[in-house]
Amino acid sequence: MNEGAIGIFDSGVGGLTVTREIMRQLPMENLVYFGDTARVPYGSKSKQTIIRYSTQIVNFLRTKNVKAIVIACNTASALALEELQEQVEIPVIGVVWPGAISAAEATKTMNVGVIGTAATIKSEIYNKYLHELNPDITVVTKACPLFVPLVEEGLIEDRVTDDIARRYLSEFLEYNVDALVLGCTHYPLLRNTIRRTLGDKIKLVNPAYETAKSLKKLLMERDMLNKSMAKVHHEYYVSDMTDQFVPFADRVLPFHVDKIRVVNIEKYKKDSCRRNP
Amino acid sequence: MNEGAIGIFDSGVGGLTVTREIMRQLPMENLVYFGDTARVPYGSKSKQTIIRYSTQIVNFLRTKNVKAIVIACNTASALALEELQEQVEIPVIGVVWPGAISAAEATKTMNVGVIGTAATIKSEIYNKYLHELNPDITVVTKACPLFVPLVEEGLIEDRVTDDIARRYLSEFLEYNVDALVLGCTHYPLLRNTIRRTLGDKIKLVNPAYETAKSLKKLLMERDMLNKSMAKVHHEYYVSDMTDQFVPFADRVLPFHVDKIRVVNIEKYKKDSCRRNP
């Protein structure tokens, strides 16, 4: 059981930023990554569809003997976590709760900002979690739908991205926000742009770090850490072989990924992973 | 048979611009529209995936008693048309061939520009068709991946969209291009921006008009026009109920669409619509 892999999934390539952090904090763990490149993005889709897609992915990951699952995608964490936790008996963690913990710890003004996809913001999950952690926190949220396409077009340092960032973010300055959750895996790549827009006084919270920390804590508490001396293996799967995966992986991961396999994810039907089939 | 509907499909909402043109030129025809809003966009996906998705959609449309199918999406037309024509016995037409005809007729300098999604441009289908129509034509192509997200974010008239348009389009001025194919259903909405960037001397070719004309010609030639006096019906289906469909439809169509139904499109498996099952 302890040699089983950590299953990590995302709507596409963005979850590799979370994967990198898990590799850093848990270098002895085997990993299986799945990116839903055939159906990306999730951020503009409905809850029902995101749950169906996430369930198929969990069904697939379970065929890979995973001992725990990390939802690296904020949108899927926001909309499908509870459903997935009910469906399977192994631990499933998302990035939203760890992100909320980090932000609640970081804020002093008790004004926390959250940026994410339209679906994540609409779910109001960060508001709910932040208020559970501290009812005195005021949460200001903003959907930033153009950030992902801008990153994917490579406009990381660009006047257009700066212009769009000013429109999305300037209201956070009015609300005396001192911690901003980067609630989408692509956003940490825009860290410099966001800094230029908001200045140095706002702490930018990347849920990836806290997610890996939560995962480590969970595996330790349940005595699930990998103690095998066998060589660690990392596997990468996608639902479509697109041109973006390898360049993005090369930018994010500390080594080149040379083997990526394509999975027909639609075959992994809903309901087939129920706890008591 | 003649009372059967025209099936029209697109990766999402953009195909409604083609639908509008078909309604205008063929007001007596029944229509069934399908938008693959659960898996949009197609423009960054592989040929194999686009064929699989298009096949499922055609399978679905055939359950609606369609007499002909129009692929309103440039990407699906570029990558899946031939495969679909082999699979079904009813006529299937795409938007690329009609778009190429319009452009070949419009150009005098024999330099034609084409803009589209990454997948459409990579397919080089417009180059192939334009050279079939006239080997003397020089084709200059450019993928414009940010145009769709900019339109969907509502930045139709905006300095950011102008800035991006200048980057994508300025090379067409160098090549003495006098006809530009708007090779994605969202692009006609950026007509003003493109005009500002390229001036009035370049003819902007919207394949929608020529597609509806080709469809009408085909139905007439094969005596397939609807001659029934019954009330014309239009049906709308999507694979996900997203927030964008109705506002976009209201902007594009001459009337409000009040009924949209959601289809689980993955159920309509590949191969089940083969001519000889």
Side-chain angles (χ1 to χ4, degrees), chain A residues 36-211:
Chain A
D36 199 0
T37 48
R39 305 186 293 197
V40 69
Y42 283 9
S44 50
K45 281 154 197 165
S46 72
K47 179 169 184 169
Q48 192 190 6
T49 291
I50 292 163
I51 288 175
R52 187 166 82 242
Y53 290 174
S54 300
T55 303
Q56 291 171 343
I57 296 167
V58 166
N59 289 351
F60 163 72
L61 288 173
R62 282 161 64 77
T63 68
K64 299 294 164 191
N65 184 33
V66 295
K67 63 183 175 184
I69 289 173
V70 177
I71 313 177
C73 171
N74 272 270
T75 306
S77 298
L79 298 168
L81 176 65
E82 287 178 20
E83 180 81 17
L84 296 176
Q85 284 177 328
E86 276 174 29
Q87 282 177 27
V88 295
E89 73 284 4
I90 58 172
V92 183
I93 69 168
V95 291
V96 174
W97 180 248
I101 291 176
S102 288
E105 285 173 356
T107 185
K108 290 195 171 60
T109 63
M110 294 296 130
N111 294 309
V112 170
V114 178
I115 55 177
T117 64
T120 299
I121 297 306
K122 193 178 159 195
S123 77
E124 300 198 342
I125 187 102
Y126 273 105
N127 312 53
K128 186 182 153 202
Y129 285 174
L130 282 161
H131 287 146
E132 268 180 45
L133 289 161
N134 186 340
D136 295 334
I137 290 176
T138 299
V139 185
V140 184
T141 64
K142 183 77 180 173
C144 305
L146 281 169
F147 276 175
V148 170
L150 287 166
V151 167
E152 297 200 333
E153 184 72 343
L155 304 185
I156 308 278
E157 294 286 344
D158 194 279
R159 65 172 181 269
V160 156
T161 309
D162 279 22
D163 190 334
I164 295 293
R166 274 192 300 275
R167 300 186 204 188
Y168 285 149
L169 306 177
S170 54
E171 67 183 273
F172 291 118
L173 293 170
E174 294 164 31
Y175 284 96
N176 195 24
V177 160
D178 68 345
L180 178 71
V181 179
L182 307 180
C184 173
T185 52
H186 281 67
Y187 297 177
L189 296 165
L190 295 178
R191 188 177 280 278
N192 291 342
T193 303
I194 296 169
R195 276 247 159 280
R196 267 197 300 281
T197 311
L198 293 179
D200 288 337
K201 287 181 194 150
I202 295 184
K203 186 172 157 55
L204 303 184
V205 175
N206 176 0
Y209 174 80
E210 192 70 28
T211 301

Side-chain angles (χ1 to χ4, degrees), chain A residues 46 153 159 163 167-168 240, chain B residues 46 153 159 163 168 240:
Chain A
S46 72
E153 184 72 343
R159 65 172 181 269
D163 190 334
R167 300 186 204 188
Y168 285 149
D240 188 23
Chain B
S46 72
E153 184 72 341
R159 64 172 182 267
D163 190 332
Y168 285 149
D240 188 22

